[in-house]
Amino acid sequence: TQLLEQSPQFLSIQEGENLTVYCNSSSVFSSLQWYRQEPGEGPVLLVTVVTGGEVKKLKRLTFQFGDARKDSSLHITAAQPGDTGLYLCAAGTGTASKLTFGTGTRLQVTL
Amino acid sequence: SQTIHQWPATLVQPVGSPLSLECTVEGTSNPNLYWYRQAAGRGLQLLFYSVGIGQISSEVPQNLSASRPQDRQFILSSKKLLLSDSGFYLCAWSVRLGSPYNEQFFGPGTRLTVL
């Protein structure tokens, strides 16, 4: 069973601060996605990374896939209250498009 | 564009009662379909997935079953609910062919409370 461990589990910061969320595994993945989920809603796909060492930027969010394709990080610059939510990483194995989801990082950004 | 619907949005059921949750996808054909359960504030547990009509794979032994009577319809059922079946149920779809990235797109979810 492939496991994706996310850290930290919970993060509470003030508006304007920077933060990094990590997603780690001992397995190699063909692709990795990051999702954000707001309370009472389904997760929304933010980004997909597929190449070792790849870096993608989405406004204030920077995503990186590890060189060995076993880990990833999400960095948020100048966090805003709208960034509040549960961040989930998910990795693909190529089997029937199944994904293994991480344990989640709950982010709270206060004014 | 593709959309995914789930209903009901919220459900409160007594222990021992049956369950039927429905998920439909619009704007795509031959999708892979998935049912997940999510405990409060936690990650997602894959329950079932389907790569075609009548084809269901179960990921964990449990009190639930799934069916896919039509290409874009996925149903989650139970004959007798347990307290432990409470949770947030999410349906998702992905492109079956042509996408190597395993990207999944989620519905709005159903909050199930078993009393």
Side-chain angles (χ1 to χ4, degrees), chain B:
Chain B
S1 62
Q2 300 87 8
T3 56
I4 179 168
H5 304 280
Q6 284 187 247
W7 64 90
T10 305
L11 192 59
V12 180
Q13 291 285 95
V15 170
S17 63
L19 173 74
S20 181
L21 302 181
E22 190 164 343
C23 170
T24 59
V25 182
E26 296 177 356
T28 187
S29 297
N30 305 314
N32 290 327
L33 295 172
Y34 309 84
W35 278 112
Y36 290 88
R37 178 167 59 203
Q38 184 177 32
R42 304 296 299 276
L44 305 180
Q45 179 189 32
L46 179 63
L47 302 175
F48 302 94
Y49 69 93
S50 171
V51 298
I53 295 174
Q55 300 179 59
I56 309 294
S57 296
S58 175
E59 288 295 295
V60 291
Q62 58 207 324
N63 187 41
L64 303 169
S65 62
S67 62
R68 185 171 177 174
Q70 301 180 42
D71 181 47
R72 291 171 289 178
Q73 183 184 30
F74 206 21
I75 298 173
L76 183 69
S77 304
S78 174
K79 293 182 178 179
K80 289 185 177 181
L81 284 168
L82 306 172
L83 287 173
S84 57
D85 291 324
S86 293
F88 192 49
Y89 288 82
L90 289 157
C91 180
W93 72 274
S94 70
V95 173
R96 186 189 304 175
L97 298 175
S99 173
Y101 302 142
N102 301 330
E103 294 168 333
Q104 294 184 12
F105 302 93
F106 288 83
T110 295
R111 171 76 56 196
L112 172 66
T113 302
V114 182
L115 301 175

Side-chain angles (χ1 to χ4, degrees), chain A residues 96-110:
Chain A
S97 293
K98 288 171 57 176
L99 292 177
T100 298
F101 278 84
T103 48
T105 294
R106 182 162 297 281
L107 171 65
Q108 184 173 0
V109 182
T110 56

